[in-house]
Amino acid sequence: MKTMYKKITSFLLKLLGFSSTFVLAACYGPSPTGYREDQMVVDGDSVAVVDLAEEDADSMAIINTPSEDE
Amino acid sequence: MNNLLTLRKRLGLELWRQRENNIIREHPLRQLFWECTLRCNLHCRHCGSDCKVAAMQPDMPAADFLRVLDSIALRTDPHQVFVIVSGGEPLMRDDLEACCAEIYAKGFPWGMVTNGLALTPARFRALIKAGLHSITISLDGLEADHNWMRGHKDSFLMVDKAIDMLVKARPLVFDIVTCVNRRNYPQLAAIKQYLIQKGVTHWRIFTVFPAGRAANDPDMRLTAEEFRGTFDFIKATRQEGRILASYGCEGFLGSYEADVRDHFFTCQAGIAIGSVLIDGSIGACTSIRADYSQGNIYRDDFMDVWENRYLPYRDHSWMKQGDCADCSYFRYCRGNGMHLHDGDGQLLLCHMKRLQENPKEGVIPS
């Protein structure tokens, strides 16, 4: 979705009193595994959802990367 | 509680509807199920796939699925496509870890759904090493009920051990999924307590839909009062805040919308979710048992199919028939979940209709 559209949707849902998790799902879609929502909700009530989108791909790549000692 | 929507929810649903329309136009592939085997080490009463220990269909060779991923990676960022390894029971494959390491090496994050019976510490470590990002484990009750549902005397014990491993492996994302039925419904509060004590934070609850083995099992189908009570239970649990309970993705729930899930109802099948089934069929989520396949990986290029077909998934106007024809909620439910339609297009279960069978508040199990 376009960034501006996400911002408007986020703002209106927040205005209606929906939680940040809810706002994130509206912008990025829910996940059957819960993975996306969990990774993207990083600071409780933040609605900085647009910035998180770009980080998402990177966080997917680094999470659970095998550590040296394994 | 009646099923009328408040103004706040109606406005929220209108925003969500706009979102849906945008996503349908863009249909970005975000989740890809791989039905890697139909073999299973259990014989669950509610199995939607009707799996057996020795399946009629052989496991899909990993190389065949990996070719699909290569095709996807040419057209979209693999980091944005989450592969969900499903079955059958994925752990029946001895080469699962090797397959998943290949998936991960191609840049695709992946997770899996398992019954936990074969999830030994050694296999779990190997899966983590292969890039496991998320895992869902099924738990359908405390010991007696779970083992009854799963048809195996050690099933609960192994899930119990698996949960301990998962809790210690955080920040690995995991959740527990429970199928509510007539037998475990009175135990919901006890199951919740058990999960909280174990350290579980995410609990997904679903009700049986009439497909597979559960279709004709009277022990599986909740009464109208229990059906509503399940949503009251989830709502109350969420308000408590000790564990994040959510209803599964299926079903538009009227006034319960926004109270039992972290999002409004949506069926993303064929819109953001695709699948490669055991015989190579190209479909959407693996819960869809009627034949709505759009092609086959042994004949077609997956991304060509994804971009150019999937019309029944993206345009639900064909669902506006029968009870749905004049229903004012169709605007929001778009005919309910794709997997709730049989091969003739008939809707097998309308959650709103079931809720209306019992307009009074359900009895919350305590």
Side-chain angles (χ1 to χ4, degrees):
Chain A
M1 281 196 296
K2 301 250 185 319
T3 302
M4 183 54 73
Y5 181 82
K6 283 180 186 171
K7 281 184 176 170
I8 294 168
T9 305
S10 304
F11 173 74
L12 292 174
L13 285 173
K14 192 74 183 167
L15 197 67
L16 288 167
F18 291 101
S19 70
S20 58
T21 314
F22 217 92
V23 173
L24 285 167
C27 292
Y28 300 109
S31 156
T33 59
Y35 175 75
R36 286 176 169 274
E37 289 114 306
D38 275 84
Q39 292 306 310
M40 291 194 292
V41 180
V42 289
D43 67 347
D45 235 0
S46 166
V47 286
V49 290
V50 177
D51 294 339
L52 290 171
E54 281 69 41
E55 290 172 15
D56 190 31
D58 294 337
S59 66
M60 279 182 172
I62 56 172
I63 279 211
N64 293 329
T65 300
S67 60
E68 292 296 320
D69 56 356
E70 276 189 303
Chain B
M1 178 187 275
N2 59 38
N3 290 312
L4 293 178
L5 291 166
T6 60
L7 178 63
R8 171 178 169 268
K9 286 188 183 177
R10 205 170 271 275
L11 289 171
L13 279 164
E14 286 298 330
L15 285 168
W16 186 260
R17 192 167 159 268
Q18 291 304 314
R19 170 207 178 269
E20 290 280 273
N21 291 337
N22 281 340
I23 295 292
I24 291 167
R25 268 195 297 277
E26 293 174 9
H27 51 265
L29 181 64
R30 288 291 175 260
Q31 275 108 32
L32 179 67
F33 282 92
W34 178 31
E35 192 177 59
C36 67
T37 182
L38 277 187
R39 290 183 293 144
C40 188
N41 45 9
L42 293 178
H43 188 80
C44 305
R45 297 182 75 99
H46 64 306
C47 183
S49 312
D50 203 14
C51 298
K52 298 176 176 65
V53 173
M56 302 292 283
Q57 187 82 32
D59 295 356
M60 178 180 285
D64 297 353
F65 180 67
L66 293 170
R67 270 197 299 276
V68 172
L69 296 186
D70 288 337
S71 145
I72 293 171
L74 289 174
R75 312 267 281 267
T76 189
D77 177 4
H79 283 8
Q80 295 290 320
V81 182
F82 194 87
V83 174
I84 302 164
V85 182
S86 175
E89 168 53 45
L91 290 168
M92 293 292 278
R93 283 185 74 127
D94 292 334
D95 65 345
L96 182 69
E97 294 84 342
C99 298
C100 293
E102 291 280 335
I103 292 169
Y104 195 44
K106 289 181 184 296
F108 291 83
W110 68 274
M112 66 184 286
V113 184
T114 174
N115 62 41
L117 188 66
L119 192 63
T120 60
R123 288 209 81 175
F124 184 54
R125 276 195 300 273
L127 290 165
I128 293 271
K129 205 165 183 173
L132 176 70
H133 276 51
S134 81
I135 183 163
T136 296
I137 295 198
S138 306
L139 177 78
D140 293 327
L142 299 180
E143 188 158 11
D145 290 336
H146 178 81
N147 289 346
W148 169 81
M149 186 93 158
R150 298 275 157 179
H152 195 291
K153 66 179 175 54
D154 296 326
S155 183
F156 180 85
L157 181 68
M158 290 307 290
V159 169
D160 185 74
K161 287 182 177 174
I163 291 174
D164 289 338
M165 282 193 291
L166 299 183
V167 168
K168 283 182 193 153
R170 286 199 173 101
L172 177 73
V173 174
F174 75 93
D175 69 351
I176 300 298
V177 63
T178 298
C179 172
V180 182
N181 56 73
R182 293 225 64 197
R183 183 156 162 157
N184 67 13
Y185 175 79
Q187 303 297 320
L188 281 176
I191 299 168
K192 175 176 74 177
Q193 198 55 38
Y194 164 78
L195 293 176
I196 292 169
Q197 280 172 354
K198 296 291 283 183
V200 173
T201 55
H202 289 67
W203 184 22
R204 200 158 16 127
I205 290 171
F206 69 100
T207 46
V208 164
F209 56 91
R213 227 171 265 155
N216 301 309
D217 188 339
D219 286 327
M220 291 292 105
R221 191 170 190 263
L222 297 172
T223 65
E225 189 180 56
E226 291 164 344
F227 190 71
R228 184 176 282 277
T230 300
F231 299 112
D232 290 330
F233 172 80
I234 296 171
K235 187 176 170 182
T237 299
R238 290 171 71 89
Q239 285 168 347
E240 272 175 19
R242 296 162 70 210
I243 185 169
L244 183 60
S246 304
Y247 187 59
C249 62
E250 71 167 31
F252 178 74
L253 302 172
S255 59
Y256 288 100
E257 283 295 322
D259 291 334
V260 295
R261 281 187 285 237
D262 288 332
H263 52 85
F264 285 116
F265 166 71
T266 179
C267 177
Q268 298 278 290
I271 296 166
I273 301 175
S275 71
V276 174
L277 302 182
I278 190 74
D279 62 353
S281 297
I282 296 171
C285 86
T286 51
S287 293
I288 300 168
R289 303 318 301 178
D291 186 9
Y292 287 100
S293 66
Q294 300 295 298
N296 192 294
I297 61 163
Y298 296 112
R299 287 194 311 268
D300 308 298
D301 177 78
F302 182 91
M303 284 308 283
D304 281 346
V305 172
W306 181 257
E307 289 300 336
N308 301 311
R309 300 186 196 169
Y310 280 93
L311 189 63
Y313 292 87
R314 294 169 190 169
D315 178 359
H316 283 194
S317 55
W318 61 272
M319 292 183 184
K320 209 163 171 38
Q321 54 172 309
D323 289 341
C324 297
D326 302 316
C327 179
S328 59
Y329 291 114
F330 191 89
R331 181 177 182 80
Y332 306 128
C333 80
R334 298 176 64 245
N336 226 351
M338 190 73 188
H339 69 286
L340 297 170
H341 291 261
D342 66 13
D344 298 322
Q346 298 299 314
L347 182 61
L348 298 170
L349 172 65
C350 170
H351 290 65
M352 283 297 291
K353 204 170 163 186
R354 277 234 80 194
L355 285 168
Q356 281 159 359
E357 285 174 27
N358 175 35
K360 290 181 298 190
E361 209 157 280
V363 180
I364 302 178
S366 58

